[in-house]
Amino acid sequence: MANNEELINKFYTAFNKLDAAGMNSCYSDDIVFFDPVFGLLRGNEARSMWAMLCKNAKDFSLNYGNIIHLDEEFSTCDWVATYTFSKTGKKVINKVRANMKFAEGKIIEHSDAFSLHKWSAQALGFSGWLLGWNKFFQNKIKNGAKKNLLKYMQQA
């Protein structure tokens, strides 16, 4: 489990430095990632998402902690990212619970859990607060994020 904790520390230390390559070095080749904005991503999609987010980050800071090892394979931790959302210029403080599965010294599964409604209220302002609970609105956010990721991947 010490190895898993070292990997978590390496991942979030790299994230705090906006070092996508360092983050992605913690992932297995066939990483499976999920979060409420991007949905399910596999392999290069997940690695490209981190590269895109790190490249576009503004006024970024990150704190993490509360690392809990559930067993030899699974760990969780909490992290908080503070940044300016580039599309609107609004400040976001995103509180996240990460769940990770490990094998052979790498992260093989990673899911981030947070309130999409709370995120959209901060990132999008009044419309996000008013409509962020609505599945149609949430799907619009998800589709936009996926579209931006695919565009980024094509340009990279």
Side-chain angles (χ1 to χ4, degrees), residues 23-112:
M23 296 168 70
N24 288 329
S25 72
C26 299
Y27 278 169
S28 67
D29 291 340
D30 57 349
I31 182 67
V32 176
F33 176 87
F34 180 85
D35 86 354
V37 172
F38 287 93
L40 185 65
L41 302 175
R42 297 179 185 275
N44 198 41
E45 290 176 326
R47 286 185 287 277
S48 295
M49 176 205 62
W50 290 121
M52 178 181 76
L53 292 177
C54 287
K55 181 181 177 188
N56 295 333
K58 292 183 177 149
D59 307 318
F60 181 84
S61 67
L62 178 115
N63 294 302
Y64 73 97
N66 194 29
I67 299 170
I68 300 171
H69 303 292
L70 304 174
D71 59 25
E72 294 291 323
E73 280 187 302
F74 295 94
S75 297
T76 67
C77 72
D78 297 324
W79 60 275
V80 178
T82 304
Y83 57 94
T84 300
F85 185 57
S86 58
K87 188 174 180 182
T88 61
K90 295 190 179 297
K91 183 178 179 179
V92 173
I93 301 171
N94 197 23
K95 297 178 181 179
V96 182
R97 164 64 54 95
N99 300 284
M100 297 179 177
K101 182 177 181 182
F102 302 87
E104 299 177 11
K106 296 284 186 178
I107 302 167
I108 62 170
E109 294 177 10
H110 178 179
S111 67
D112 282 340

